[in-house]
Amino acid sequence: VAGVRENGGQYTHAATWVINAFASMGDGDKAWRLYNLINPINHTRTPIECAVYKTEPYVVAADVYSTEPHVGRGGWTWYTGAAGWMYKVGLESILGFTKTGKYLKIDPCIPKDWEKYKIRYRYENTEYHISVKNPDGVNSGVKKILLDGESIAKDEIHLKDDGKSHDVEVILGKK
C-alpha cells in the first residue's frame, strides 16, 4: 500500500543503514542529522506530535507513514529489528564505541560542532571513564588516545578486570 510500511515516509531498517553509510564515509554531520530524524523522541516532543505519531516515544517504529490519513503515524513498534540497528549505529558508527572480546576501540564519526562527549563503561568489575574531545572541530580521525594519562600506541584499549577505575581520553584530529 502506498505510504505504508516499506513504502512509507520512513522505513527505519533502511534509514539506519543509510546513517551507517554516511558515518562510514566520514560525514558525521549528515549521519547525526539523519539519526535525529528517525529518533522516536523527535516525533513526540509535543502533545500534537504524539497525537499524530500514535506510538510510544521510547520505542522505535519500523516505519512512519506518508499518505493521508496516516501522515506521520508510526507503525510496527516492539516488533522491528530496526531498534537494534539504531542502537548499533548510534553507539558504534557515530559515537565510535566498539567492543570486540577484551578490546575496546573508540573511533567516532560525529558532527564537527561537537566539542566533547563522555561515556562511562563498566567492564566486569572495572569502570572506564571515556572522554572524547574534538578540539579541531572534525567529523572523524583519532589523533591520540591516553589511558590513565599515558599515550597508547595501538588504536584499541585492552580491557582489564582489575576492579579499578580507568580514565580514557580520546583526542580527535589529524595525526
Side-chain angles (χ1 to χ4, degrees):
V1 176
V4 177
R5 297 284 296 137
E6 291 88 347
N7 298 317
Q10 172 184 311
Y11 179 46
T12 311
H13 272 91
T16 59
W17 299 331
V18 168
I19 295 165
N20 182 47
F22 279 107
S24 295
M25 293 187 304
D27 193 343
D29 295 302
K30 188 154 195 170
W32 183 244
R33 257 191 328 275
L34 293 173
Y35 192 85
N36 275 312
L37 282 175
I38 69 169
N39 189 338
I41 200 69
N42 292 325
H43 290 288
T44 56
R45 295 169 296 195
T46 68
I48 291 171
E49 289 174 333
C50 288
V52 170
Y53 192 57
K54 296 186 188 238
T55 60
E56 309 87 346
Y58 46 84
V59 180
V60 175
D63 43 61
V64 179
Y65 309 143
S66 64
T67 301
E68 293 293 345
H70 305 296
V71 174
R73 182 176 183 166
W76 291 69
T77 60
W78 296 103
Y79 164 81
T80 181
W85 282 108
M86 188 169 173
Y87 178 79
K88 185 175 177 66
V89 164
L91 187 64
E92 295 180 1
S93 302
I94 295 173
L95 296 180
F97 182 100
T98 307
K99 180 183 173 289
T100 306
K102 292 185 176 188
Y103 292 90
L104 177 63
K105 187 170 186 170
I106 307 292
D107 188 13
C109 185
I110 59 173
K112 290 176 185 171
D113 63 357
W114 281 17
E115 295 176 10
K116 61 184 173 182
Y117 65 92
K118 294 182 179 188
I119 300 172
R120 191 175 94 191
Y121 175 64
R122 183 173 203 74
Y123 175 73
E124 297 181 15
N125 297 305
T126 302
E127 281 205 8
Y128 286 85
H129 300 272
I130 303 161
S131 176
V132 178
K133 298 178 180 176
N134 189 13
D136 299 334
V138 297
N139 286 130
S140 60
V142 174
K143 184 189 301 188
K144 176 172 43 172
I145 299 176
L146 303 170
L147 175 61
D148 296 325
E150 299 290 324
S151 186
I152 62 171
K154 291 188 168 192
D155 64 349
E156 59 188 9
I157 298 153
H158 182 240
L159 297 168
K160 297 178 184 173
D161 182 23
D162 59 11
K164 297 178 183 175
S165 180
H166 296 280
D167 292 315
V168 177
E169 187 175 1
V170 179
I171 310 295
L172 302 183
K174 304 274 188 234
K175 284 190 177 185

